[in-house]
Amino acid sequence: MSHSAEPAQKAFQLATSLDEFPDTLKGGVVGIGNFDGVHRGHQAVLERVMEEAASLGVPGYLLTFEPHPRAFFNPQKPFFRLTPPHAKAEIVQAFGLDGMLILPFDAAFAAREASEFVEDILARRLGIVHAVTGYDFHFGRKRAGSPDYLRSSGEALGFGVSIVERVHDEGGQTISSSRIRDAIAKGETVEANALLGYRWFVEGTVQGGDKRGRELGYPTANIALAPDCEIAHGIYAVRVVIDGALHDGVANYGRRPTFDNGAVVLEVHVFDFKGDLYGKTLEVCLVSYLRGEEKFNSVEALIAQMDIDSAQARAAIASLNPLSPLDLALYDVPLAGEAAAG
């Protein structure tokens, strides 16, 4: 099932509080959960939301929480987020849902009883006709609300409930956000993307650098990622969305040990690109991990390796096939330049 045509047919609505929740989504079908990564398991929930919404002739949307409860309850422990709110919204919209509601997860919200969440928020404020959650979704104070509790509450309050069972990969293992985080941290980018069902991406604003890349013949757009980002240091084949156009490139994530071993930064070299990227927000999609970060004995040796890296990146990108209809929809933007023609 292709979702790529959906967003053009309807306006996606994003609300960051109950007060912002639009009337046009009330009386709809809601998918509830944290959905970090919006991986293939989460997408089974989204698919069910869309099926129920189509069957009932009502909107279908996602209800999620910020910050992630794990980050709220353990603020001192860094938590690698796969999809910050803007990325999650982009994926949900590409999938074809009508909107997304983000509820602030704070001390007051964490203290709500499960019954209050169901009766006050779902039934009264949102007026839902159907809810969809995953098999492991718990909610309310001390996580007292279970999928079974939600189902019985729905029966009492007059809305339907669907519980989506766990989704397994081709090897029979459960697909989970923690598996994907672990794969990305190990440089297993292709495996992570296969579990996600789309090619994982990061976003950031290009900042000023020391222009060393330009002197080496490889000008880079430098982006500082979140401090909790656990991407494996090394060289990647990447695709980059710049001003609505898709470009191919190669990127280094790390500390540049040949030079200063400094702050961690993502340095993106966009093939055959001419122009100023400072201050622009780029979306960088990790295609594959090429090698680890190394210290070279000379600039000449580094440049020779960068030539090899670039050739390998071009080859990896040229062999790409869409992972899913969602992958197609996310990168349904025009290709830029001859280098992307493959």
Side-chain angles (χ1 to χ4, degrees), residues 147-193:
D148 285 340
Y149 175 80
L150 182 62
R151 182 180 278 125
S152 61
S153 298
E155 290 175 2
L157 293 166
F159 61 82
V161 174
S162 298
I163 307 301
V164 176
E165 294 305 317
R166 71 177 72 224
V167 174
H168 300 94
D169 65 10
E170 291 68 19
Q173 289 184 276
T174 301
I175 295 174
S176 69
S177 301
S178 57
R179 272 188 72 194
I180 295 164
R181 291 187 197 103
D182 187 52
I184 291 171
K186 291 178 178 176
E188 296 167 355
T189 310
V190 172
E191 180 181 344
N193 290 344

Side-chain angles (χ1 to χ4, degrees), residues 275-288:
D276 185 5
L277 294 175
Y278 289 122
K280 287 186 181 293
T281 297
L282 305 188
E283 189 172 287
V284 182
C285 158
L286 302 190
V287 170
S288 62

Side-chain angles (χ1 to χ4, degrees), residues 2 20 29 32 70-71 132 147 168 184 200 202-203 205 220 223 255 264 266 291 307 326 329:
S2 174
E20 287 182 10
V29 175
I32 314 169
R70 272 179 58 178
V132 184
H168 300 94
I184 291 171
W200 187 66
V202 294
E203 271 188 9
T205 302
T220 59
I223 299 169
R255 298 183 181 276
V264 179
L266 180 66
R291 64 174 176 86
D307 291 342
L326 174 60

